[in-house]
């Protein structure tokens, strides 16, 4: 199986984790801490590794009754059908799980639509295809000629994170920068990507950023913003994200009354600002 290389004229330098010119302001408490030095490196307790995370994050779910129609539409180039069918094969929903088939569908989307404008209606689908391919490269595909390649995964996440501004890609890229899997660790840049994704509602980014802030890991400790992000993450977490609830419970128990009150004020301000 050949390795996917996005067919795009827009080249993005992926040798580092930098957010590039599409980065936006990510909140005063995020901007303030990234320049003041780093705490000693430490592992993120209980946070699942990227390679062992749940199978492909999908933005669509398929229905078995529509399978023949989906296949015809996917063969005809419909990216919504390709994405839906790819997710079904990746998760084994309504069809036998076939990672190689899912990979081929996502690769076709990435190859044919990498240059699509990021404000087009289908841009989210294209970005999700890059994220799905990156996830496959993190762990490889056992029944196909696809070896785990964190460097290739990083390239795919970086393109979707910078060009499409995709929050899932930003989260995965941040984790690679933070974990140093297949690359040098860059925790300052990881914090920036986490901040971008967290402000877009990516709950896993919110949880990791909250953990780092509350514990003072990689960044100076800021308990109240950390607890705020952990609260948001807990409220959005799914059934597979028990580590987020555990992190929130531990932080809330450790926080003093002043930190809890400050976190509540930040949370109220955050929700107020996003209500308009």
């Amino acid at each position: 199986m050949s390795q996917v290389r996005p067919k795009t004229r827009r080249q993005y330098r992926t040798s580092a984790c930098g957010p590039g010119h599409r980065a936006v302001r990510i909140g005063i408490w995020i901007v303030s801490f990234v320049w003041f030095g780093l705490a000693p490196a430490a592992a993120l307790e209980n946070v699942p590794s990227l390679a062992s995370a749940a199978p492909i994050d999908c933005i669509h779910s398929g229905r078995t009754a529509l399978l023949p129609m989906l296949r015809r539409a996917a063969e005809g180039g419909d990216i919504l059908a390709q994405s839906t069918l790819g997710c079904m094969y990746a998760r084994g929903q309504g069809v036998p799980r076939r990672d190689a088939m899912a990979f081929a569908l996502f690769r076709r989307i990435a190859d044919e639509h990498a240059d699509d404008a990021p404000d087009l209606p289908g841009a989210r689908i294209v970005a999700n295809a890059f994220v799905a391919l990156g996830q496959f490269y993190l762990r490889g595909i056992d029944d196909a000629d696809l070896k785990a390649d964190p460097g290739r995964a990083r390239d795919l996440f970086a393109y979707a994170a910078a060009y499409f501004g995709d929050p899932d890609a930003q989260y995965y890229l941040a984790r690679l920068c933070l974990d140093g899997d297949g690359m040098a660790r860059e925790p300052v840049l990881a914090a920036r990507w986490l901040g971008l994704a967290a402000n877009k509602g990516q709950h896993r980014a919110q949880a990791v950023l909250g953990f780092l802030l509350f514990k003072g890991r990689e960044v100076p400790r800021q308990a109240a913003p950390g607890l705020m992000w952990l609260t948001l993450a807990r409220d959005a977490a799914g059934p597979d994200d028990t580590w987020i609830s555990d992190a929130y419970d531990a932080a809330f128990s450790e926080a003093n009354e002043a930190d809890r009150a400050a976190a509540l004020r930040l949370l109220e301000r955050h929700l107020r600002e996003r209500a308009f």
Side-chain angles (χ1 to χ4, degrees):
M1 180 179 294
S2 61
Q3 293 187 343
V4 62
R5 292 182 179 274
K7 298 176 180 178
T8 173
R9 294 182 301 276
R10 301 178 179 90
Q11 297 299 314
Y12 177 75
R13 189 173 65 88
T14 53
S15 59
C17 298
H21 66 282
R22 292 186 180 273
V24 298
R25 186 173 61 85
I26 58 179
I28 189 167
W29 55 83
I30 304 298
V31 175
S32 65
F33 71 66
V34 296
W35 299 105
F36 293 113
L38 301 177
L44 301 178
E45 295 96 335
N46 302 321
V47 179
S49 69
L50 291 182
S52 65
I56 306 305
D57 292 321
C58 293
I59 58 175
H60 306 288
S61 60
R63 295 172 56 189
T64 306
L66 299 178
L67 187 57
M69 185 184 303
L70 278 173
R71 284 175 171 156
R72 286 195 297 272
E75 290 170 359
D78 186 299
I79 63 171
L80 176 59
Q82 292 166 348
S83 176
T84 302
L85 196 57
C87 286
M88 291 172 66
Y89 279 121
R91 290 181 170 270
Q93 295 177 338
V95 293
R97 179 173 171 176
R98 297 178 61 187
D99 285 351
M101 182 67 74
F103 182 90
L105 286 160
F106 290 124
R107 180 176 60 183
R108 180 177 175 184
I109 296 173
D111 283 349
E112 296 179 359
H113 298 277
D115 273 344
D116 286 4
D119 56 351
L120 288 178
R124 182 74 176 91
I125 297 173
V126 180
N128 185 72
F130 276 90
V131 174
L133 291 170
Q135 288 178 273
F136 277 125
Y137 273 109
L138 283 176
R139 63 175 183 264
I141 300 177
D142 292 337
D143 60 349
D145 185 22
L146 189 78
K147 306 300 182 184
D149 186 345
R152 174 62 61 192
R154 177 202 63 207
D155 292 348
L156 292 161
F157 294 144
Y159 186 81
Y163 180 62
F164 290 104
D166 183 79
D168 293 333
Q170 289 168 347
Y171 166 70
Y172 280 102
L173 182 59
R175 285 291 308 276
L176 288 178
C177 293
L178 195 61
D179 299 347
D181 188 1
M183 59 188 294
R185 295 184 72 255
E186 298 188 68
V188 168
L189 295 173
R192 295 179 186 171
W193 284 118
L194 287 172
L196 287 167
N199 270 282
K200 295 173 184 175
Q202 218 288 348
H203 67 280
R204 292 170 188 151
Q206 291 172 339
V208 175
L209 181 60
F211 176 93
L212 294 177
L213 283 169
F214 188 85
K215 292 291 189 181
R217 301 291 175 83
E218 312 291 357
V219 297
R221 187 172 189 266
Q222 296 189 50
L227 187 57
M228 183 208 74
W229 286 120
L230 284 167
T231 303
L232 287 166
R234 178 207 59 180
D235 292 345
D240 295 330
D241 294 318
T242 55
W243 62 275
I244 293 177
S245 298
D246 293 342
Y248 168 82
D249 291 341
F252 188 83
S253 297
E254 183 180 335
N256 58 38
E257 288 301 324
D259 289 337
R260 293 176 186 176
L264 180 58
R265 290 192 297 270
L266 287 173
L267 179 62
E268 290 172 345
R269 187 180 74 183
H270 178 89
L271 295 176
R272 218 172 27 245
E273 290 175 350
R274 279 149 184 78
F276 299 99

